[in-house]
Amino acid sequence: MTDSENKKILLSGIQPSGTLHVGNYFGAMRRFVELQEEFESLIFIANYHALTSVSDSDMLIKNTQDAILDHLAIGLKPETLFLQSDIPEVTELAWIFNTLITVPYLSRAVAYKEKVDKGLEATVGLFDYPVLMAADILIMDADIVPVGQDQKQHVEIARDIAEKFNNRYGELFNIPKAHILREVSTVPGIDGQKMSKSYGNTIPLFSTDEDIKKLVMSIITDSKGESETKDPETDTVFALHRLFSEEQLSELKIRYEKGQIGYKESKEILVENIKTFIAPLRDKRENIAKDKDNILDVIKVGRERAQERARAKMKKVREAVGIML
Ligand code: ADP
Ligand code: TRP
């Protein structure tokens, strides 16, 4: 047996829906990189899922390329990555699953309702989103699916679908487990709320030095003067120090509590530390981006590995349900 055959399979998808920020990195992406050796990892860019919210084709292509570059730049191995659309069997399997589950069952999905409440059009695709996600997960025999809390229900739907299929047609699918990404607590944005694309308060992961400075210096703080005591627990600048200023953290904490540092100086230290952290990531991304047109070649191994798995699985599924090709 080879090493990879002994490892559990980890699978996760990322929608190509915009520029990665440091909240995404510390809250989610960094985990994929950390776990990629321990598990046999399959990480893909969910471009079919993104079609439920992105209707501009050029934008979808750009976002998809960017998502690949971003994930390579943070250290995901190219053989781990693939595009959802390189695995057409996934959409085929989603159709078969559609015939297994009911409209009332799927109507309980919370994310669908939330998206419609936020103004997304209530398309059949949006409604069926969890079924496509179940196909992503089950076709690869995933054991572990690292996701944010908001996606937990979707993994449960995948488990239900697997059980229903197995009961009806025989044991074909592994029952996956959600691995809820440790709330590295929520990374705050420059306005102190949760950092999020939708709030326009992010520090993009591949920012220029200039932007880092501009963004950090504009972080909202209270109005305490330099020699007043400050609470590190409630200050947004300090919350970011926890991620970027590990070595100086205890010293900074003391200076905050003793009123020995002003917010301006604290921000200046943060600017330097974020710059130091981001510079190598940005350089790596720029290097990979030079060959952007050939980016799909870079993830060739990942694609072929995923295709091989999916094809073998779909052959068994078709046989089980009685579809002739
Ligand atoms: P956004 O809120 O910017 O649209 P997404 O919803 O696309 O981000 O989230 C992608 C991943 O990043 C999810 O796993 C989510 O849990 C994580 N994430 C997003 N924002 C933060 C944050 N501020 N702190 C920690 N993790 C985050
Ligand atoms: N729905 C996930 C999200 O928005 C992305 C996704 C698509 C996914 N297919 C998946 C995540 C399969 C894990 C497994 O974050």
Side-chain angles (χ1 to χ4, degrees):
M1 239 195 238
T2 66
D3 195 28
S4 68
E5 281 172 276
N6 289 323
K7 290 184 179 172
K8 290 206 173 214
I9 295 173
L10 174 150
L11 172 134
S12 197
I14 305 116
Q15 288 204 69
S17 56
T19 311
L20 267 192
H21 53 74
V22 300
N24 297 138
Y25 177 75
F26 285 101
M29 280 66 199
R30 187 178 61 160
R31 290 294 282 162
F32 299 157
V33 179
E34 283 169 1
L35 293 171
Q36 67 182 338
E37 301 298 340
E38 185 181 341
F39 295 94
E40 178 163 1
S41 293
L42 298 158
I43 306 288
F44 66 94
I45 312 300
N47 51 349
Y48 275 128
H49 276 109
L51 260 188
T52 61
S53 61
V54 183
S55 53
D56 178 325
S57 55
D58 289 337
M59 177 79 92
L60 184 55
I61 289 173
K62 182 178 183 306
N63 284 351
T64 305
Q65 286 178 333
D66 279 349
I68 300 174
L69 289 174
D70 291 347
H71 286 84
L72 292 174
I74 62 168
L76 263 193
K77 295 188 293 187
E79 57 269 33
T80 299
L81 264 182
F82 61 98
L83 287 188
Q84 188 181 36
S85 53
D86 279 327
I87 319 293
E89 288 82 2
V90 164
T91 49
E92 183 185 354
L93 182 59
W95 176 257
I96 293 175
F97 288 163
N98 276 335
T99 66
L100 270 179
I101 50 154
T102 67
V103 172
Y105 172 79
L106 262 197
S107 304
R108 298 205 291 267
V110 180
Y112 170 74
K113 284 179 229 159
E114 281 176 5
K115 285 180 182 170
V116 173
D117 286 346
K118 272 196 201 147
L120 274 189
E121 205 179 352
T123 60
V124 177
L126 195 62
F127 184 67
D128 207 30
Y129 185 110
V131 179
L132 183 59
M133 187 160 156
D136 290 327
I137 296 170
L138 300 178
I139 204 164
M140 301 296 177
D141 282 324
D143 296 298
I144 295 198
V145 184
V147 282
Q149 182 65 34
D150 60 319
Q151 296 295 317
K152 187 169 180 234
Q153 191 188 22
H154 289 163
V155 180
E156 275 154 17
I157 293 175
R159 290 166 63 93
D160 288 346
I161 292 177
E163 277 167 7
K164 202 154 182 196
F165 186 102
N166 289 351
N167 281 335
R168 186 174 294 182
Y169 296 110
E171 297 288 317
L172 206 65
F173 289 112
N174 189 32
I175 313 292
K177 262 209 194 88
H179 171 86
I180 303 301
L181 291 165
R182 171 168 46 117
E183 274 105 338
V184 173
S185 64
T186 305
V187 179
I190 57 173
D191 59 357
Q193 291 190 75
K194 174 193 136 119
M195 187 180 289
S196 170
K197 285 188 286 293
S198 13
Y199 302 151
N201 63 356
T202 70
I203 302 175
L205 188 57
F206 302 97
S207 300
T208 60
D209 283 353
E210 218 172 289
D211 286 343
I212 295 169
K213 182 162 181 210
K214 211 162 59 201
L215 290 166
V216 170
M217 295 319 279
S218 67
I219 292 175
I220 297 171
T221 61
D222 59 36
S223 53
K224 290 200 175 122
E226 197 176 324
S227 54
E228 286 181 75
T229 59
K230 301 179 184 66
D231 184 0
E233 294 310 316
T234 56
D235 175 42
T236 305
V237 184
F238 194 85
L240 293 168
H241 275 308
R242 286 185 196 283
L243 305 172
F244 295 100
S245 313
E246 243 176 336
E247 282 168 23
Q248 292 139 287
L249 204 62
S250 47
E251 182 201 330
L252 282 165
K253 186 165 186 285
I254 294 169
R255 293 184 66 194
Y256 262 68
E257 287 167 348
K258 291 195 170 162
Q260 292 170 346
I261 187 169
Y263 288 120
K264 184 162 177 286
E265 186 190 345
S266 180
K267 286 178 179 178
E268 282 163 356
I269 296 171
L270 184 61
V271 168
E272 289 314 310
N273 290 344
I274 297 186
K275 279 192 200 166
T276 308
F277 179 83
I278 285 185
L281 296 182
R282 201 177 51 215
D283 290 351
K284 192 161 172 202
R285 194 182 188 286
E286 272 167 21
N287 254 328
I288 307 169
K290 283 186 193 139
D291 213 11
K292 196 170 177 178
D293 293 339
N294 297 320
I295 195 72
L296 293 181
D297 292 342
V298 177
I299 57 168
K300 184 165 173 274
V301 177
R303 173 173 61 236
E304 285 171 358
R305 193 163 68 101
Q307 283 172 338
E308 209 175 299
R309 292 191 81 89
R311 283 179 191 146
K313 194 75 181 179
M314 257 335 271
K315 190 162 176 288
K316 293 186 188 157
V317 174
R318 289 188 207 105
E319 280 165 14
V321 302
I323 289 295
M324 301 190 296
L325 270 197

PDB file of all heavy atoms in Angstrom, residues 54-82:
ATOM      1  N   VAL A  54     -22.661  34.613  -9.692  1.00  0.00           N
ATOM      2  CA  VAL A  54     -21.888  35.460 -10.621  1.00  0.00           C
ATOM      3  C   VAL A  54     -22.429  35.229 -12.032  1.00  0.00           C
ATOM      4  O   VAL A  54     -22.343  34.112 -12.552  1.00  0.00           O
ATOM      5  CB  VAL A  54     -20.380  35.082 -10.602  1.00  0.00           C
ATOM      6  CG1 VAL A  54     -19.576  36.007 -11.503  1.00  0.00           C
ATOM      7  CG2 VAL A  54     -19.828  35.107  -9.184  1.00  0.00           C
ATOM      8  N   SER A  55     -22.953  36.275 -12.657  1.00  0.00           N
ATOM      9  CA  SER A  55     -23.529  36.060 -13.991  1.00  0.00           C
ATOM     10  C   SER A  55     -22.674  36.674 -15.101  1.00  0.00           C
ATOM     11  O   SER A  55     -22.965  36.523 -16.274  1.00  0.00           O
ATOM     12  CB  SER A  55     -24.949  36.609 -14.052  1.00  0.00           C
ATOM     13  OG  SER A  55     -24.924  37.953 -13.616  1.00  0.00           O
ATOM     14  N   ASP A  56     -21.589  37.356 -14.733  1.00  0.00           N
ATOM     15  CA  ASP A  56     -20.699  37.951 -15.729  1.00  0.00           C
ATOM     16  C   ASP A  56     -19.593  36.931 -16.040  1.00  0.00           C
ATOM     17  O   ASP A  56     -18.788  36.591 -15.176  1.00  0.00           O
ATOM     18  CB  ASP A  56     -20.117  39.238 -15.134  1.00  0.00           C
ATOM     19  CG  ASP A  56     -19.128  39.929 -16.051  1.00  0.00           C
ATOM     20  OD1 ASP A  56     -18.380  39.231 -16.772  1.00  0.00           O
ATOM     21  OD2 ASP A  56     -19.089  41.162 -16.035  1.00  0.00           O
ATOM     22  N   SER A  57     -19.556  36.469 -17.311  1.00  0.00           N
ATOM     23  CA  SER A  57     -18.653  35.359 -17.638  1.00  0.00           C
ATOM     24  C   SER A  57     -17.175  35.747 -17.479  1.00  0.00           C
ATOM     25  O   SER A  57     -16.367  34.960 -16.995  1.00  0.00           O
ATOM     26  CB  SER A  57     -18.925  34.841 -19.054  1.00  0.00           C
ATOM     27  OG  SER A  57     -18.834  35.916 -19.967  1.00  0.00           O
ATOM     28  N   ASP A  58     -16.827  36.992 -17.916  1.00  0.00           N
ATOM     29  CA  ASP A  58     -15.418  37.402 -17.785  1.00  0.00           C
ATOM     30  C   ASP A  58     -15.008  37.444 -16.315  1.00  0.00           C
ATOM     31  O   ASP A  58     -13.899  37.057 -15.937  1.00  0.00           O
ATOM     32  CB  ASP A  58     -15.199  38.799 -18.390  1.00  0.00           C
ATOM     33  CG  ASP A  58     -15.309  38.747 -19.901  1.00  0.00           C
ATOM     34  OD1 ASP A  58     -15.113  37.643 -20.470  1.00  0.00           O
ATOM     35  OD2 ASP A  58     -15.608  39.786 -20.517  1.00  0.00           O
ATOM     36  N   MET A  59     -15.941  37.914 -15.524  1.00  0.00           N
ATOM     37  CA  MET A  59     -15.679  38.009 -14.084  1.00  0.00           C
ATOM     38  C   MET A  59     -15.466  36.618 -13.482  1.00  0.00           C
ATOM     39  O   MET A  59     -14.565  36.419 -12.671  1.00  0.00           O
ATOM     40  CB  MET A  59     -16.889  38.685 -13.434  1.00  0.00           C
ATOM     41  CG  MET A  59     -16.824  38.795 -11.949  1.00  0.00           C
ATOM     42  SD  MET A  59     -15.791  40.150 -11.490  1.00  0.00           S
ATOM     43  CE  MET A  59     -17.037  41.414 -11.389  1.00  0.00           C
ATOM     44  N   LEU A  60     -16.271  35.669 -13.928  1.00  0.00           N
ATOM     45  CA  LEU A  60     -16.142  34.320 -13.368  1.00  0.00           C
ATOM     46  C   LEU A  60     -14.793  33.712 -13.745  1.00  0.00           C
ATOM     47  O   LEU A  60     -14.123  33.080 -12.916  1.00  0.00           O
ATOM     48  CB  LEU A  60     -17.304  33.421 -13.828  1.00  0.00           C
ATOM     49  CG  LEU A  60     -17.319  32.020 -13.220  1.00  0.00           C
ATOM     50  CD1 LEU A  60     -17.292  32.047 -11.698  1.00  0.00           C
ATOM     51  CD2 LEU A  60     -18.550  31.228 -13.693  1.00  0.00           C
ATOM     52  N   ILE A  61     -14.375  33.941 -14.998  1.00  0.00           N
ATOM     53  CA  ILE A  61     -13.071  33.412 -15.414  1.00  0.00           C
ATOM     54  C   ILE A  61     -11.957  34.063 -14.590  1.00  0.00           C
ATOM     55  O   ILE A  61     -11.063  33.401 -14.067  1.00  0.00           O
ATOM     56  CB  ILE A  61     -12.839  33.642 -16.926  1.00  0.00           C
ATOM     57  CG1 ILE A  61     -13.773  32.716 -17.717  1.00  0.00           C
ATOM     58  CG2 ILE A  61     -11.377  33.401 -17.311  1.00  0.00           C
ATOM     59  CD1 ILE A  61     -13.781  32.936 -19.207  1.00  0.00           C
ATOM     60  N   LYS A  62     -12.032  35.392 -14.456  1.00  0.00           N
ATOM     61  CA  LYS A  62     -10.981  36.090 -13.700  1.00  0.00           C
ATOM     62  C   LYS A  62     -10.951  35.607 -12.238  1.00  0.00           C
ATOM     63  O   LYS A  62      -9.887  35.297 -11.699  1.00  0.00           O
ATOM     64  CB  LYS A  62     -11.211  37.603 -13.751  1.00  0.00           C
ATOM     65  CG  LYS A  62     -10.116  38.343 -13.024  1.00  0.00           C
ATOM     66  CD  LYS A  62     -10.238  39.827 -13.067  1.00  0.00           C
ATOM     67  CE  LYS A  62      -9.062  40.498 -12.367  1.00  0.00           C
ATOM     68  NZ  LYS A  62      -8.830  40.058 -11.002  1.00  0.00           N
ATOM     69  N   ASN A  63     -12.126  35.518 -11.639  1.00  0.00           N
ATOM     70  CA  ASN A  63     -12.176  35.069 -10.239  1.00  0.00           C
ATOM     71  C   ASN A  63     -11.636  33.646 -10.086  1.00  0.00           C
ATOM     72  O   ASN A  63     -11.013  33.310  -9.079  1.00  0.00           O
ATOM     73  CB  ASN A  63     -13.618  35.083  -9.718  1.00  0.00           C
ATOM     74  CG  ASN A  63     -14.108  36.478  -9.413  1.00  0.00           C
ATOM     75  OD1 ASN A  63     -13.326  37.431  -9.423  1.00  0.00           O
ATOM     76  ND2 ASN A  63     -15.393  36.613  -9.164  1.00  0.00           N
ATOM     77  N   THR A  64     -11.908  32.820 -11.081  1.00  0.00           N
ATOM     78  CA  THR A  64     -11.460  31.426 -11.005  1.00  0.00           C
ATOM     79  C   THR A  64      -9.933  31.366 -11.083  1.00  0.00           C
ATOM     80  O   THR A  64      -9.285  30.690 -10.276  1.00  0.00           O
ATOM     81  CB  THR A  64     -12.096  30.603 -12.145  1.00  0.00           C
ATOM     82  OG1 THR A  64     -13.517  30.760 -12.082  1.00  0.00           O
ATOM     83  CG2 THR A  64     -11.748  29.132 -12.043  1.00  0.00           C
ATOM     84  N   GLN A  65      -9.360  32.127 -12.049  1.00  0.00           N
ATOM     85  CA  GLN A  65      -7.892  32.153 -12.163  1.00  0.00           C
ATOM     86  C   GLN A  65      -7.269  32.710 -10.891  1.00  0.00           C
ATOM     87  O   GLN A  65      -6.273  32.194 -10.378  1.00  0.00           O
ATOM     88  CB  GLN A  65      -7.474  33.032 -13.340  1.00  0.00           C
ATOM     89  CG  GLN A  65      -7.722  32.388 -14.683  1.00  0.00           C
ATOM     90  CD  GLN A  65      -7.338  33.327 -15.818  1.00  0.00           C
ATOM     91  OE1 GLN A  65      -7.367  34.543 -15.655  1.00  0.00           O
ATOM     92  NE2 GLN A  65      -7.011  32.754 -16.971  1.00  0.00           N
ATOM     93  N   ASP A  66      -7.880  33.779 -10.389  1.00  0.00           N
ATOM     94  CA  ASP A  66      -7.351  34.401  -9.168  1.00  0.00           C
ATOM     95  C   ASP A  66      -7.382  33.418  -7.996  1.00  0.00           C
ATOM     96  O   ASP A  66      -6.442  33.356  -7.207  1.00  0.00           O
ATOM     97  CB  ASP A  66      -8.179  35.640  -8.783  1.00  0.00           C
ATOM     98  CG  ASP A  66      -7.774  36.851  -9.601  1.00  0.00           C
ATOM     99  OD1 ASP A  66      -6.734  36.774 -10.285  1.00  0.00           O
ATOM    100  OD2 ASP A  66      -8.502  37.853  -9.565  1.00  0.00           O
ATOM    101  N   ALA A  67      -8.477  32.675  -7.897  1.00  0.00           N
ATOM    102  CA  ALA A  67      -8.596  31.740  -6.768  1.00  0.00           C
ATOM    103  C   ALA A  67      -7.495  30.680  -6.846  1.00  0.00           C
ATOM    104  O   ALA A  67      -6.917  30.295  -5.825  1.00  0.00           O
ATOM    105  CB  ALA A  67      -9.971  31.095  -6.759  1.00  0.00           C
ATOM    106  N   ILE A  68      -7.188  30.215  -8.057  1.00  0.00           N
ATOM    107  CA  ILE A  68      -6.107  29.228  -8.193  1.00  0.00           C
ATOM    108  C   ILE A  68      -4.774  29.860  -7.759  1.00  0.00           C
ATOM    109  O   ILE A  68      -4.030  29.300  -6.941  1.00  0.00           O
ATOM    110  CB  ILE A  68      -5.986  28.711  -9.642  1.00  0.00           C
ATOM    111  CG1 ILE A  68      -7.287  28.036 -10.089  1.00  0.00           C
ATOM    112  CG2 ILE A  68      -4.817  27.726  -9.765  1.00  0.00           C
ATOM    113  CD1 ILE A  68      -7.286  27.629 -11.558  1.00  0.00           C
ATOM    114  N   LEU A  69      -4.500  31.059  -8.298  1.00  0.00           N
ATOM    115  CA  LEU A  69      -3.239  31.732  -7.953  1.00  0.00           C
ATOM    116  C   LEU A  69      -3.127  31.955  -6.445  1.00  0.00           C
ATOM    117  O   LEU A  69      -2.080  31.705  -5.840  1.00  0.00           O
ATOM    118  CB  LEU A  69      -3.173  33.104  -8.643  1.00  0.00           C
ATOM    119  CG  LEU A  69      -2.978  33.106 -10.157  1.00  0.00           C
ATOM    120  CD1 LEU A  69      -3.077  34.522 -10.702  1.00  0.00           C
ATOM    121  CD2 LEU A  69      -1.621  32.508 -10.503  1.00  0.00           C
ATOM    122  N   ASP A  70      -4.216  32.420  -5.856  1.00  0.00           N
ATOM    123  CA  ASP A  70      -4.200  32.711  -4.414  1.00  0.00           C
ATOM    124  C   ASP A  70      -3.830  31.464  -3.614  1.00  0.00           C
ATOM    125  O   ASP A  70      -3.030  31.518  -2.686  1.00  0.00           O
ATOM    126  CB  ASP A  70      -5.590  33.173  -3.938  1.00  0.00           C
ATOM    127  CG  ASP A  70      -5.971  34.536  -4.490  1.00  0.00           C
ATOM    128  OD1 ASP A  70      -5.085  35.226  -5.027  1.00  0.00           O
ATOM    129  OD2 ASP A  70      -7.162  34.892  -4.397  1.00  0.00           O
ATOM    130  N   HIS A  71      -4.440  30.358  -3.981  1.00  0.00           N
ATOM    131  CA  HIS A  71      -4.225  29.147  -3.182  1.00  0.00           C
ATOM    132  C   HIS A  71      -2.854  28.529  -3.421  1.00  0.00           C
ATOM    133  O   HIS A  71      -2.263  27.961  -2.499  1.00  0.00           O
ATOM    134  CB  HIS A  71      -5.360  28.152  -3.408  1.00  0.00           C
ATOM    135  CG  HIS A  71      -6.613  28.601  -2.720  1.00  0.00           C
ATOM    136  ND1 HIS A  71      -7.487  29.502  -3.290  1.00  0.00           N
ATOM    137  CD2 HIS A  71      -7.081  28.356  -1.480  1.00  0.00           C
ATOM    138  CE1 HIS A  71      -8.454  29.761  -2.435  1.00  0.00           C
ATOM    139  NE2 HIS A  71      -8.240  29.082  -1.327  1.00  0.00           N
ATOM    140  N   LEU A  72      -2.330  28.687  -4.621  1.00  0.00           N
ATOM    141  CA  LEU A  72      -0.958  28.229  -4.852  1.00  0.00           C
ATOM    142  C   LEU A  72       0.007  29.116  -4.070  1.00  0.00           C
ATOM    143  O   LEU A  72       0.968  28.636  -3.469  1.00  0.00           O
ATOM    144  CB  LEU A  72      -0.629  28.257  -6.342  1.00  0.00           C
ATOM    145  CG  LEU A  72      -1.371  27.238  -7.215  1.00  0.00           C
ATOM    146  CD1 LEU A  72      -1.065  27.483  -8.698  1.00  0.00           C
ATOM    147  CD2 LEU A  72      -0.991  25.801  -6.829  1.00  0.00           C
ATOM    148  N   ALA A  73      -0.278  30.427  -4.065  1.00  0.00           N
ATOM    149  CA  ALA A  73       0.632  31.374  -3.402  1.00  0.00           C
ATOM    150  C   ALA A  73       0.693  31.157  -1.890  1.00  0.00           C
ATOM    151  O   ALA A  73       1.727  31.394  -1.275  1.00  0.00           O
ATOM    152  CB  ALA A  73       0.211  32.813  -3.707  1.00  0.00           C
ATOM    153  N   ILE A  74      -0.394  30.692  -1.291  1.00  0.00           N
ATOM    154  CA  ILE A  74      -0.324  30.482   0.170  1.00  0.00           C
ATOM    155  C   ILE A  74       0.260  29.119   0.524  1.00  0.00           C
ATOM    156  O   ILE A  74       0.360  28.761   1.689  1.00  0.00           O
ATOM    157  CB  ILE A  74      -1.701  30.646   0.862  1.00  0.00           C
ATOM    158  CG1 ILE A  74      -2.701  29.605   0.342  1.00  0.00           C
ATOM    159  CG2 ILE A  74      -2.226  32.055   0.730  1.00  0.00           C
ATOM    160  CD1 ILE A  74      -3.957  29.518   1.172  1.00  0.00           C
ATOM    161  N   GLY A  75       0.622  28.334  -0.496  1.00  0.00           N
ATOM    162  CA  GLY A  75       1.365  27.110  -0.203  1.00  0.00           C
ATOM    163  C   GLY A  75       0.606  25.814  -0.414  1.00  0.00           C
ATOM    164  O   GLY A  75       1.094  24.749  -0.029  1.00  0.00           O
ATOM    165  N   LEU A  76      -0.582  25.881  -1.009  1.00  0.00           N
ATOM    166  CA  LEU A  76      -1.237  24.608  -1.340  1.00  0.00           C
ATOM    167  C   LEU A  76      -0.469  23.964  -2.478  1.00  0.00           C
ATOM    168  O   LEU A  76      -0.056  24.641  -3.422  1.00  0.00           O
ATOM    169  CB  LEU A  76      -2.674  24.849  -1.807  1.00  0.00           C
ATOM    170  CG  LEU A  76      -3.806  24.702  -0.828  1.00  0.00           C
ATOM    171  CD1 LEU A  76      -5.119  24.660  -1.580  1.00  0.00           C
ATOM    172  CD2 LEU A  76      -3.683  23.454   0.030  1.00  0.00           C
ATOM    173  N   LYS A  77      -0.284  22.672  -2.392  1.00  0.00           N
ATOM    174  CA  LYS A  77       0.462  21.994  -3.439  1.00  0.00           C
ATOM    175  C   LYS A  77      -0.408  21.918  -4.692  1.00  0.00           C
ATOM    176  O   LYS A  77      -1.615  21.629  -4.588  1.00  0.00           O
ATOM    177  CB  LYS A  77       0.835  20.581  -2.992  1.00  0.00           C
ATOM    178  CG  LYS A  77       1.792  20.590  -1.807  1.00  0.00           C
ATOM    179  CD  LYS A  77       2.317  19.210  -1.501  1.00  0.00           C
ATOM    180  CE  LYS A  77       1.223  18.313  -1.002  1.00  0.00           C
ATOM    181  NZ  LYS A  77       1.683  17.015  -0.523  1.00  0.00           N
ATOM    182  N   PRO A  78       0.181  22.141  -5.873  1.00  0.00           N
ATOM    183  CA  PRO A  78      -0.628  22.139  -7.104  1.00  0.00           C
ATOM    184  C   PRO A  78      -1.368  20.822  -7.310  1.00  0.00           C
ATOM    185  O   PRO A  78      -2.474  20.815  -7.849  1.00  0.00           O
ATOM    186  CB  PRO A  78       0.382  22.367  -8.220  1.00  0.00           C
ATOM    187  CG  PRO A  78       1.664  22.687  -7.576  1.00  0.00           C
ATOM    188  CD  PRO A  78       1.588  22.472  -6.105  1.00  0.00           C
ATOM    189  N   GLU A  79      -0.790  19.721  -6.819  1.00  0.00           N
ATOM    190  CA  GLU A  79      -1.449  18.423  -7.040  1.00  0.00           C
ATOM    191  C   GLU A  79      -2.674  18.231  -6.137  1.00  0.00           C
ATOM    192  O   GLU A  79      -3.382  17.235  -6.248  1.00  0.00           O
ATOM    193  CB  GLU A  79      -0.477  17.252  -6.917  1.00  0.00           C
ATOM    194  CG  GLU A  79       0.262  17.144  -5.607  1.00  0.00           C
ATOM    195  CD  GLU A  79       1.587  17.893  -5.614  1.00  0.00           C
ATOM    196  OE1 GLU A  79       1.688  18.941  -6.288  1.00  0.00           O
ATOM    197  OE2 GLU A  79       2.521  17.445  -4.921  1.00  0.00           O
ATOM    198  N   THR A  80      -2.880  19.184  -5.244  1.00  0.00           N
ATOM    199  CA  THR A  80      -4.046  19.151  -4.362  1.00  0.00           C
ATOM    200  C   THR A  80      -5.253  19.827  -5.016  1.00  0.00           C
ATOM    201  O   THR A  80      -6.392  19.566  -4.683  1.00  0.00           O
ATOM    202  CB  THR A  80      -3.685  19.928  -3.066  1.00  0.00           C
ATOM    203  OG1 THR A  80      -2.591  19.277  -2.463  1.00  0.00           O
ATOM    204  CG2 THR A  80      -4.829  20.000  -2.093  1.00  0.00           C
ATOM    205  N   LEU A  81      -4.959  20.733  -5.953  1.00  0.00           N
ATOM    206  CA  LEU A  81      -5.992  21.637  -6.472  1.00  0.00           C
ATOM    207  C   LEU A  81      -6.602  21.165  -7.786  1.00  0.00           C
ATOM    208  O   LEU A  81      -5.922  20.596  -8.631  1.00  0.00           O
ATOM    209  CB  LEU A  81      -5.342  22.984  -6.760  1.00  0.00           C
ATOM    210  CG  LEU A  81      -5.408  24.105  -5.730  1.00  0.00           C
ATOM    211  CD1 LEU A  81      -4.717  25.337  -6.310  1.00  0.00           C
ATOM    212  CD2 LEU A  81      -6.839  24.445  -5.346  1.00  0.00           C
ATOM    213  N   PHE A  82      -7.886  21.437  -7.949  1.00  0.00           N
ATOM    214  CA  PHE A  82      -8.518  21.249  -9.267  1.00  0.00           C
ATOM    215  C   PHE A  82      -9.734  22.157  -9.384  1.00  0.00           C
ATOM    216  O   PHE A  82     -10.147  22.786  -8.409  1.00  0.00           O
ATOM    217  CB  PHE A  82      -8.893  19.783  -9.506  1.00  0.00           C
ATOM    218  CG  PHE A  82      -9.889  19.208  -8.520  1.00  0.00           C
ATOM    219  CD1 PHE A  82     -11.239  19.142  -8.841  1.00  0.00           C
ATOM    220  CD2 PHE A  82      -9.479  18.723  -7.284  1.00  0.00           C
ATOM    221  CE1 PHE A  82     -12.159  18.601  -7.953  1.00  0.00           C
ATOM    222  CE2 PHE A  82     -10.396  18.192  -6.385  1.00  0.00           C
ATOM    223  CZ  PHE A  82     -11.736  18.126  -6.709  1.00  0.00           C
TER     224      PHE A  82
END
